Amino acid sequence: MASCDKAILNRLKRTEGQLRGIQKMIEEEKECVDVITQLSAVRSSVDHIMGLIVAENLKNCLENPEADADLQHKKIAQAVKLIVKK
């Protein structure tokens, strides 16, 4: 998951920058609608990051199955549950 890790970290850093920008907007008393728009963008970014992580873990689970079929099923079910939960 090394290349995926780098992409996820880059997305997290961008999201962190967006959050700092929102803090500055609040300090500068920017319009509520502008702050909410940016918060929505951050939420979307975090949802996307979560999807990437779950997808990568599910892919890994399918490519490298557990010897115990019940454990394999539980891991896949957990990944699907995380995806559906969104």
Side-chain angles (χ1 to χ4, degrees):
M1 194 170 145
S3 64
C4 187
D5 284 347
K6 187 173 181 177
I8 290 170
L9 285 173
N10 286 337
R11 285 184 174 275
L12 284 170
K13 288 176 184 178
R14 263 186 272 143
T15 304
E16 180 183 21
Q18 285 178 295
L19 283 170
R20 275 194 242 103
I22 294 168
Q23 290 171 347
K24 186 175 178 182
M25 290 174 73
I26 291 171
E27 289 168 356
E28 294 174 353
E29 299 182 3
K30 297 292 183 184
E31 292 292 322
C32 178
V33 70
D34 296 332
V35 172
I36 296 302
T37 298
Q38 291 305 311
L39 284 170
S40 179
V42 167
R43 178 173 47 194
S44 178
S45 178
V46 170
D47 284 345
H48 187 76
I49 293 166
M50 290 170 58
L52 288 173
I53 292 170
V54 171
E56 184 62 29
N57 285 333
L58 184 55
K59 179 182 167 195
N60 184 46
C61 188
L62 294 172
E63 290 176 347
N64 304 298
E66 294 287 337
D68 180 350
D70 286 335
L71 180 58
Q72 177 74 2
H73 177 72
K74 285 178 184 176
K75 284 185 171 186
I76 292 172
Q78 182 183 28
V80 169
K81 185 177 177 181
L82 287 171
I83 292 169
V84 173
K85 191 176 185 179
K86 288 177 61 179

